[in-house]
Amino acid sequence: GAIVFAGYPGESGGTAIADVLFGNVNPSGRLTQTFYSNAFLGEVSMTDMAMRPHNSSPGRTYRFYEGPSVVYPFGHGLSYTSFEYNLASAAVVSRAALGTTGGSIDDVEVAIDVRNAGSRAGAETVLVYLVPPPGLTGQPLKSLRGFEKVWLEPGESATVRFAFGDADFSLADHAGAVAVVGGTWRIVTHNDEVEVEVEV
C-alpha cells in the first residue's frame, strides 16, 4: 500500500487526491520533511529544539539526524512509473580550487542521465546533495544543493545538469563564520555519487 500526503491542498484538494488515487494523474511530489518512528518521541524531548545530535538526542532533520532508520525520509516520493539514474556517465567537468590569495571556486558541474523505465509518462524530481568531507564536528551529514523536475514519456531519457560554486562548498563554524571547506566532498543523487576535491 501507499499513503497520500496532501498537506494543505486547498478547495480543489479532494479532486486532486481522487485523480491520483484513480490513476488519472501520475504523482511526482517529494516530502519536505522527515517522518520518524514512534520511538523518536521517547528519544527527544518536545522542548528540545536542537538540530544537531547531543547526549540525549539523535538530532533532527535529514541534515543532522543520526538515529535509527526513519519511516519516510526527506525527499521521499512515489510514482506510477519508475526511473533509472545513470551517474556513470556524469563527470566533474572542472575541479574545485580556491587560491590562497582569494578568488572563487570554478563551477563544478555534474550531468545526470534520467530515464523513464516504466510504461507511463511521469515527472521525476532529481535531488542533488553535497556531503562534506569526513571528520568535521557539528556539520551537516548532507545538504540539498540542487533540484530539477523533468517530464519523461515511457522510455524517454533526459540529461539534467547542475553547477556548484563557492557557497555550495562553504560551511559555518561554531562562531557563525562561513568559509569554503577543503577536502573530499561527495555529490550524491539517488543511489549514485561522484567525488570532488576542494582545495583551499
Side-chain angles (χ1 to χ4, degrees):
I3 298 173
V4 176
F5 178 72
Y8 300 95
E11 64 182 34
S12 296
T15 302
I17 293 172
D19 282 341
V20 169
L21 293 178
F22 286 97
N24 298 325
V25 171
N26 192 354
S28 61
R30 299 286 188 144
L31 288 180
T32 57
Q33 68 264 52
T34 300
F35 285 81
Y36 306 94
S37 68
N38 289 339
F40 184 73
L41 297 176
E43 297 171 347
V44 180
S45 168
M46 294 299 291
T47 60
D48 181 0
M49 294 292 105
M51 293 291 108
R52 291 169 173 80
H54 54 79
N55 292 340
S56 60
S57 169
R60 297 175 185 269
T61 79
Y62 79 94
R63 300 181 71 217
F64 297 104
Y65 180 72
E66 295 181 349
S69 296
V70 299
V71 180
Y72 297 107
F74 171 89
H76 177 72
L78 298 176
S79 171
Y80 290 132
T81 188
S82 59
F83 297 93
E84 295 177 348
Y85 283 60
N86 183 1
L87 202 54
S89 63
V92 176
V93 177
S94 58
R95 293 293 178 179
L98 182 68
T100 55
T101 58
S104 61
I105 291 179
D106 296 330
D107 280 345
V108 175
E109 300 178 358
V110 292
I112 303 160
D113 296 329
V114 183
R115 187 177 80 88
N116 184 343
S119 59
R120 291 194 55 173
E124 172 72 344
T125 303
V126 181
L127 306 178
V128 181
Y129 300 86
L130 289 190
V131 178
L136 301 178
T137 303
Q139 297 298 344
L141 301 174
K142 63 180 181 180
S143 296
L144 181 66
R145 283 292 185 258
F147 60 90
E148 185 172 332
K149 180 172 284 192
V150 291
W151 176 269
L152 297 171
E153 297 294 330
E156 184 182 8
S157 298
T159 299
V160 184
R161 300 179 186 278
F162 296 91
F164 306 101
D166 289 46
D168 299 301
F169 296 101
S170 298
L171 297 171
D173 62 18
H174 293 289
V178 178
V180 173
V181 174
T184 303
W185 288 71
R186 290 184 291 137
I187 301 173
V188 178
T189 183
H190 202 53
N191 295 321
D192 295 309
E193 64 182 58
V194 291
E195 293 184 348
V196 59
E197 293 295 331
V198 174
E199 301 173 0
V200 177

